[in-house]
């Protein structure tokens, strides 16, 4: 089949319209950023827990890192969802996700067992999430950059 015959299929073209709709795009971006909205809100409502998390991962001073993470995640998520410099927000969240993954999910240092298996799965899920942010950035990256 040719490209033209694929596009003339009514089911396929309806699906393409639905998937490409602004509502689906916004809901998808909200879903992609969900952890980066939920996480900071949880930290705000349980700031002592946020400080304990920073201490757990050796990030000192804990107050500075907790506030920085809250502000960063909310700002970058807002950029991705709103479309304001979406590419920059998406690349920032990709980098943040990779850094946080290598800090928090060091499965290779864990003893074999269920905890290591869960950390391994989460590690690779986070790699996929970082890749999704890079993919989002490619659609919004300024044209002409690097030419």
């Amino acid at each position: 089949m040719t490209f033209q015959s694929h596009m003339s299929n009514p089911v396929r073209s309806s699906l393409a319209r639905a998937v490409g709709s602004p509502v689906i795009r916004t809901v998808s971006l909200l879903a992609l950023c969900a952890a980066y909205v939920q996480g900071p809100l949880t930290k705000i409502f349980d700031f002592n827990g946020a400080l304990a998390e920073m201490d757990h991962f050796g990030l000192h001073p804990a107050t500075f890192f907790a506030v920085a993470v809250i502000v960063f995640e909310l700002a970058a998520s807002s950029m991705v969802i709103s479309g304001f410099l979406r590419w920059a927000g998406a690349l920032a969240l990709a980098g943040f996700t990779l850094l946080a993954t290598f800090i928090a999910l060091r499965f290779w240092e864990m003893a074999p067992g269920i905890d290591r298996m869960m950390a391994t799965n989460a590690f690779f899920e986070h790699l996929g999430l970082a890749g999704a942010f890079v993919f989002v950035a490619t659609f919004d990256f300024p044209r002409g950059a690097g030419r």
Side-chain angles (χ1 to χ4, degrees):
M1 277 192 180
T2 66
F3 176 74
Q4 194 67 6
S5 63
H6 280 301
M7 293 310 292
S8 64
N9 180 326
V11 172
R12 188 176 175 95
S13 57
S14 294
L15 183 60
R17 262 192 318 280
V19 170
S21 76
V23 171
I24 295 296
R25 182 177 300 120
T26 301
V27 169
S28 297
L29 291 169
L30 279 166
L32 183 62
C33 293
Y36 304 92
V37 174
Q38 173 272 328
L41 292 178
T42 299
K43 286 174 178 57
I44 290 168
F45 292 116
D46 180 14
F47 197 69
N48 287 333
L51 296 177
E53 181 182 31
M54 298 305 132
D55 283 335
H56 173 77
F57 292 116
L59 300 171
H60 301 285
T63 301
F64 169 79
F65 280 102
V67 170
V69 167
I70 289 167
V71 171
F72 171 80
E73 287 184 305
L74 289 175
S77 294
S78 296
M79 292 167 71
V80 170
I81 295 164
S82 72
F84 175 74
L85 294 174
R86 177 175 288 138
W87 65 271
L91 289 177
L93 285 172
F96 174 82
T97 301
L98 287 175
L99 180 63
T101 299
F102 279 96
I103 290 172
L105 297 169
R106 301 169 69 86
F107 68 90
W108 55 89
E109 294 177 351
M110 300 172 79
I114 189 70
D115 289 341
R116 180 179 179 151
M117 184 178 72
M118 290 176 65
T120 303
N121 288 341
F123 180 91
F124 286 98
E125 288 168 357
H126 282 78
L127 289 183
L129 185 56
F133 279 117
V134 171
F135 193 70
V136 166
T138 64
F139 287 98
D140 203 60
F141 205 75
R143 300 295 176 235
R147 289 186 195 168

